[in-house]
Amino acid sequence: MLLKTFGWSFAVTALGLVAAVFYGGWTAFGVVAILTVLEISLSFDNAVVNAGILKKMNAFWQKIFLTVGILIAVFGMRLVFPVVIVAISAQLGPIEAVDLALTDKDRYQQLVTDAHPSIAAFGGMFLLMIFLDFIFEDRDIKWLTWIERPLAKLGKVDMLSVCIALIVLLIASMTVATHAHQHGGAHVDKAETVLLAGIAGLITYLVVGGLSSYFENKLEEEEEREHEEEEKAARAGKSPVKLAGQAAFFMFLYLEVLDASFSFDGVIGAFAITNDIVLMALGLGIGAMYVRSLTVYLVRQGTLDDYVYLEHGAHYAIGALAALLLITIQYEINEIITGLIGVILIGASFWSSVRRNKRIAQAGGPGAGEKAEVSSGV
């Protein structure tokens, strides 16, 4: 199972490290290795959240996620995305932007850094909406019950998460955005840019997430209807295969946008290590491959079913990352801090899950689940 799931990741690692040696010697080898570790540490929570969505998709779409999806993740977000940022911010053509990335690395890094406020606002709002929708939903299993129970009650108010997200964006545009950090330590007013980028992130979440939920619900309704009419020869409505394809497609699209939002901090943080676009693509690409493989592994092993609080910890890590992205509009935060926060939250949720499983086993079975849940604070 391990080799089957991570085989491609191991192969890509070997090829990437060999390519790094040929490109820039052993120094480049070390840079790519560091970037790989950076990407994995920053994106572990991404794998947990993705697994919660991917387990609803069939084996075919899981393969699409691991093949076509990784091409989008590596070439789209880790290579093309930084170049597109430079092209837009500097008003350059695509070819000029690529030439700048390869020939004038310092200028390229400066332009990407100056575009950080809009990147952080877009990604921060998208991730914040994921976090808010999660904590405002009334779930059967709760991790931090003293927080999640009252928030679940508040979540009954329509559009509450959108209102809170807009309030947060407004506050950010009037505070950190007025002294946005730029290349060289300068600070400029980016309130309008942050506001527009944040609204774009919010709209993207609502559109992609809304379509995904719509087709997922349609699929569930179709499955229930077919189950009731399974004795009949003729079945009305759309073909379940076609409907499943629509649902899976939009969930796949949602996963790609989610991955893009998670990758913002990794792409920006990579510039603290190197401004060479080739080494950056190699290191972050290898890391992204491991994150994808880890996602599939969690699904196939049923890890989220066994360790029920992992998804909670990952979403709390998403909320922390969203806050950090908005704060980095003005202040620089070391990537180690960003990565550690996610690791600590997920680690705590994993430990709580282990303790819960032990209590259930000692009590004699799943019937003790409710008691385990109530007493599961961290």
Side-chain angles (χ1 to χ4, degrees):
M1 169 63 79
L2 188 65
L3 184 61
K4 181 180 179 180
T5 306
F6 288 89
W8 280 105
S9 296
F10 296 150
V12 169
T13 300
L15 291 174
L17 292 176
V18 169
V21 173
F22 279 103
Y23 177 77
W26 291 106
T27 300
F29 177 95
V31 169
V32 170
I34 292 172
L35 287 173
T36 299
V37 175
L38 172 70
E39 176 68 12
I40 294 173
S41 64
L42 289 177
S43 301
F44 184 78
D45 48 354
N46 187 10
V48 177
V49 175
N50 283 355
I53 301 171
L54 194 65
K55 67 181 181 181
K56 303 175 184 177
M57 303 163 71
N58 59 27
F60 170 78
W61 279 100
Q62 289 181 9
K63 290 181 180 179
I64 293 294
F65 175 75
L66 196 57
T67 53
V68 177
I70 194 61
L71 292 177
I72 296 173
V74 174
F75 293 101
M77 287 307 302
R78 276 74 179 182
L79 183 61
V80 177
F81 173 68
V83 175
V84 170
I85 291 175
V86 171
I88 295 175
S89 60
Q91 297 182 345
L92 300 174
I95 297 178
E96 293 177 287
V98 172
D99 181 67
L100 183 66
L102 296 174
T103 60
D104 192 350
K105 297 181 177 64
D106 291 335
R107 175 60 178 164
Y108 173 78
Q109 179 179 356
Q110 175 185 345
L111 291 173
V112 173
T113 303
D114 291 345
H116 176 68
S118 57
I119 299 171
F122 182 95
M125 292 306 296
F126 188 91
L127 295 177
L128 180 61
M129 282 298 300
I130 294 173
F131 169 68
L132 291 176
D133 278 350
F134 180 84
I135 64 171
F136 284 139
E137 183 178 346
D138 190 5
R139 300 176 178 276
D140 294 333
I141 296 177
K142 297 178 177 62
W143 180 31
L144 305 179
T145 54
W146 56 279
I147 294 177
E148 295 172 13
R149 278 182 176 169
L151 289 178
K153 293 180 180 178
L154 287 175
K156 296 178 181 179
V157 179
D158 290 339
M159 304 301 290
L160 180 62
S161 57
V162 175
C163 293
I164 292 178
L166 287 173
I167 291 172
V168 171
L169 177 61
L170 187 61
I171 293 173
S173 67
M174 294 188 299
T175 54
V176 292
T178 58
H179 296 85
H181 175 76
Q182 299 288 272
H183 184 77
H187 290 83
V188 298
D189 188 349
K190 290 278 188 175
E192 183 178 351
T193 300
V194 167
L195 197 60
L196 291 174
I199 291 174
L202 179 62
I203 292 173
T204 301
Y205 173 84
L206 293 175
V207 172
V208 178
L211 287 173
S212 176
S213 297
Y214 170 76
F215 282 102
E216 184 180 354
N217 291 335
K218 290 288 288 183
L219 178 60
E220 291 176 356
E221 292 175 5
E222 183 72 9
E223 289 176 344
E224 290 178 3
R225 184 187 63 79
E226 288 185 357
H227 180 69
E228 294 173 357
E229 300 178 357
E230 60 184 0
E231 299 297 329
K232 297 181 180 180
R235 297 179 179 178
K238 295 182 179 180
S239 168
V241 175
K242 182 178 180 181
L243 190 58
Q246 289 177 328
F249 171 76
F250 281 103
M251 279 195 282
F252 172 77
L253 181 61
Y254 176 78
L255 280 172
E256 292 306 312
V257 177
L258 178 61
D259 178 77
S261 298
F262 269 106
S263 68
F264 289 150
D265 61 327
V267 173
I268 298 302
F271 282 100
I273 299 171
T274 181
N275 56 8
D276 190 312
I277 187 65
V278 175
L279 297 182
M280 194 180 302
L282 286 173
L284 297 181
I286 293 172
M289 191 70 191
Y290 277 100
V291 173
R292 290 298 170 104
S293 297
L294 180 60
T295 298
V296 174
Y297 181 80
L298 292 173
V299 173
R300 293 176 179 173
Q301 290 293 100
T303 305
L304 297 185
D305 295 327
D306 295 334
Y307 303 98
V308 295
Y309 300 135
L310 269 181
E311 195 170 2
H312 294 72
H315 279 86
Y316 280 110
I318 288 176
L321 178 57
L324 288 173
L325 277 174
L326 294 176
I327 292 172
T328 57
I329 293 174
Q330 180 175 348
Y331 303 100
E332 291 188 76
I333 298 178
N334 192 290
E335 290 74 28
I336 296 177
I337 297 176
T338 305
L340 280 178
I341 290 176
V343 170
I344 290 172
L345 287 169
I346 293 175
S349 64
F350 175 79
W351 178 243
S352 293
S353 299
V354 171
R355 292 172 57 195
R356 172 185 183 272
N357 292 343
K358 287 182 179 180
R359 283 194 295 267
I360 292 176
Q362 291 172 357
E370 291 297 321
K371 293 182 180 178
E373 173 192 328
V374 172
S375 59
S376 62
V378 173

